[in-house]
Amino acid sequence: NPRPGRPPPARPGSGSPGRAAGVLRSGWADRAVATGHQSERPDWGTATPTRQTEPVLLKDIRAIVNESVVLSPENPAAEETNTNWFGAPPHERMGLSADEVVTVFEETAAVLRDQVAAGGHRGTATFYVWHDAVAGQLRCSVGTRKPSDLPFPVEYQVTEDLRAIVVEFLEDRAPGSIAWGELEPVPYPDDSDAPPGLTVWAFDLTPFGR
């Protein structure tokens, strides 16, 4: 849950347009379905008994690979369309394991890397995931910046521990809100040695041999 004093990183460099107040939607449901952009892996989008019964959150993450990815170093604002956000009700979070969510994100990242290479992009490209505690959502995006230069309006730290980010999301039983008993005082003056409040997992999509 969010803590007082943590700025709300709604989207990289912007707010959260298109999201009705009080309604959690997945990034896939909020956006138009892209056509003609198939994944590079066999059976990725094929309906199987397991895929038909898996939680909506996992299906929505997998669906990222069916969307067109915009890579525009000259116009970073255009890359905001690559941002997806995912919510899940408490009962679904309780039924998910962090490991299965991490696995789907990693598989998705690998497919995106293949797609970026197949699309002819030869510059830097990064897929990154974070937990927006204010909105109570997992978010991810793709851009042409390095992990150290992602378009967040607040300080952040890059981590290799995607599982910790997913666990924080799954254990949030009141998404987008904070229990009164969990309120914590904001230290003043600000402790300059304190680590950034936002943690981001980054995956390099840069094509090999660029």
Side-chain angles (χ1 to χ4, degrees):
N1 287 323
R3 298 288 186 268
R6 176 182 292 183
R11 300 180 58 176
S14 68
S16 302
R19 189 161 52 82
V23 178
L24 287 179
R25 302 174 180 172
S26 72
W28 180 243
D30 280 350
R31 300 170 62 185
V33 177
T35 58
H37 190 79
Q38 298 299 321
S39 67
E40 312 300 333
R41 292 190 174 183
D43 301 326
W44 180 261
T46 302
T48 64
T50 301
R51 296 280 168 81
Q52 290 174 348
T53 58
E54 72 178 354
V56 174
L57 175 64
L58 302 185
K59 292 180 180 179
D60 284 348
I61 296 172
R62 293 186 192 279
I64 294 172
V65 302
N66 295 320
E67 301 185 12
S68 297
V69 175
V70 176
L71 298 176
S72 179
E74 304 81 8
N75 183 17
E79 297 178 344
E80 291 183 5
T81 190
N82 299 328
T83 301
N84 290 268
W85 49 96
F86 310 100
H91 70 272
E92 182 174 318
R93 299 182 189 218
M94 294 175 66
L96 283 167
S97 73
D99 290 338
E100 60 186 332
V101 178
V102 167
T103 296
V104 172
F105 266 125
E106 291 176 338
E107 291 175 349
T108 298
V111 174
L112 288 173
R113 182 172 57 193
D114 293 343
Q115 291 179 344
V116 168
H121 181 73
R122 291 295 177 265
T124 299
T126 304
F127 172 68
Y128 51 104
V129 179
W130 72 101
H131 174 219
D132 187 328
V134 174
Q137 298 168 346
L138 272 178
R139 299 194 173 194
C140 65
S141 192
V142 176
T144 52
R145 297 191 185 187
K146 296 180 179 180
S148 60
D149 188 35
L150 298 177
F152 287 102
V154 297
E155 290 187 36
Y156 67 93
Q157 59 182 349
V158 178
T159 179
E160 296 182 358
D161 190 0
L162 174 58
R163 191 178 190 280
I165 294 175
V166 173
V167 167
E168 184 179 285
F169 167 76
L170 293 178
E171 291 183 349
D172 185 357
R173 298 293 182 251
S177 64
I178 181 170
W180 179 263
E182 295 180 1
L183 290 173
E184 296 179 356
V186 178
Y188 183 83
D190 186 28
D191 183 359
S192 58
D193 295 328
L198 182 64
T199 303
V200 181
W201 178 77
F203 184 93
D204 187 10
L205 301 179
T206 304
F208 298 117
R210 65 186 173 101

